[in-house]
Amino acid sequence: MIRYYPEKVIILNDAVIRESVITLNILDSIRGRGIEVIYLSEAEINDLIEKTARLENSYGEGKKTLLITANRGEFLKKCPGTNEYICCDYYIIDFAQNCPMECTYCILQAYLNNPFMVVYANIGDLFAELDTRLAGSGGKKIRIGTGEFTDSLALEHLSEYSKILMDYFAGKPQFILEFKSKTDYIKTFTDYRSGGGGLDNILISYSMNAKSVNKFEELKTATIEERLIAAAACVRAGYKITLHFDPIIDYDNFETEMAETINLIFKYLSPGDIKYISLGAFRFIPALADIIAVRFPKSRIIYNEFIKGYDKKIRYFRFKREKLFESVINLIREHDRLNEIRLYFCMESPEMWNALLGGAPSSDEQLGGILYDKCVNCPASY
């Protein structure tokens, strides 16, 4: 796939940000490309954000600019959920925001109020916060990801942020670090030499979907096969792999195309290579529908029968979600007859778990522990 390079880089004119290894990595990566670099105060940056946000195509225009700045809030956050659906007790490192890829269904279009590509370069603050909060976790086993407010690897060829995080988490087996992506970028991982602790607590995760969804709804991303070739290379390099079917979208020829994708998965990976697979059906906040209609008029994903869920998101009716999930589960189990791969639902009710996965975890914390244990090859059951 084609790597992202901005037309302009804006850097917060602050000594910590100017001298950050993240900033230096990005400047080194764009050297010789004729990309404009400017330094602005925080007030000047905020003014420019407001002006860009008022543009008719603010989201598309904003992605042409990469902003290197400071995160003034918390870096480590709990993945949002709701009491009515089972969550997986996941934590997020907010190291960057926005994504250069163009998935029609992306929630960031309706969630972010800053249209620029953003990277937070105050890593001293990041590590100080992690030191304090993780030290106070009381021995809890925690899974931490970086792919919530951006794609984990979309800017990795510029910033090498993932490498820096891997260095920090090396030798900390209590914490699993997951990089979730729709890219095929693996240089960080294949070149990585750990200073201690090995790769046991590192997960490389790839989003999977049917061919039509990948082609028409996941624009500027790697193809499913490119992702799987990357996943196989990561396995050979000693990493653990997870996959995410989320969002699963109802499409013409759904079962045929999903079967093709799952056959492709097991062409490149064996069941033992995949620690777990998450399943989540297409869901969206109401404001996103209008954005999709304007930005992606050829997309048909919002023109279906939906219902409002407990979390106020719009989702397929229960019977349709169950049918989609059952199809994917059966296709996976045709290849994974020994049930080596842990399957779980993202943001689904206990009723769905009971219907299709043999029972629901008793709590978010139990599911989080099950997934942690699966990643470190411990037996897990509920």
Side-chain angles (χ1 to χ4, degrees), residues 22-57:
I22 299 298
T23 303
L24 298 177
N25 284 349
I26 292 172
L27 292 178
D28 185 58
S29 297
I30 66 172
R31 186 171 289 114
R33 290 182 170 269
I35 296 172
E36 180 183 9
V37 177
I38 58 176
Y39 295 80
L40 297 177
S41 68
E42 196 149 8
E44 290 171 319
I45 289 171
N46 290 337
D47 183 60
L48 192 56
I49 289 171
E50 290 181 9
K51 289 180 180 177
T52 306
R54 290 196 294 267
L55 296 175
E56 184 176 359
N57 183 23

Side-chain angles (χ1 to χ4, degrees), residues 255-276:
E255 288 208 19
T256 299
E257 290 197 5
M258 192 59 75
E260 291 173 357
T261 292
I262 291 171
N263 287 338
L264 200 59
I265 288 171
F266 293 101
K267 172 184 175 181
Y268 288 101
L269 301 171
S270 69
D273 296 330
I274 305 166
K275 296 304 172 183
Y276 56 73

Side-chain angles (χ1 to χ4, degrees), residues 179-281:
F179 301 104
K180 189 184 298 184
S181 187
K182 292 186 179 77
T183 76
D184 59 354
Y185 187 80
I186 58 172
K187 188 176 187 298
T188 288
F189 307 118
T190 55
D191 289 357
Y192 186 71
R193 296 294 178 268
S194 173
L199 306 175
D200 289 345
N201 64 337
I202 303 298
L203 291 179
I204 317 297
S205 301
Y206 292 94
S207 296
M208 295 284 108
N209 226 309
K211 179 174 61 177
S212 289
V213 175
N214 182 212
K215 182 177 181 180
F216 298 113
E217 312 295 342
E218 297 179 345
L219 311 177
K220 299 184 181 180
T221 71
T223 66
I224 296 300
E225 185 160 23
E226 286 171 337
R227 298 176 206 176
L228 289 169
I229 291 170
C234 287
V235 168
R236 292 193 296 273
Y239 293 90
K240 300 170 182 177
I241 298 298
T242 64
L243 302 177
H244 301 275
F245 283 88
D246 194 354
I248 297 174
I249 295 176
D250 186 28
Y251 245 91
D252 292 339
N253 301 318
F254 172 83
E255 288 208 19
T256 299
E257 290 197 5
M258 192 59 75
E260 291 173 357
T261 292
I262 291 171
N263 287 338
L264 200 59
I265 288 171
F266 293 101
K267 172 184 175 181
Y268 288 101
L269 301 171
S270 69
D273 296 330
I274 305 166
K275 296 304 172 183
Y276 56 73
I277 295 177
S278 70
L279 307 172

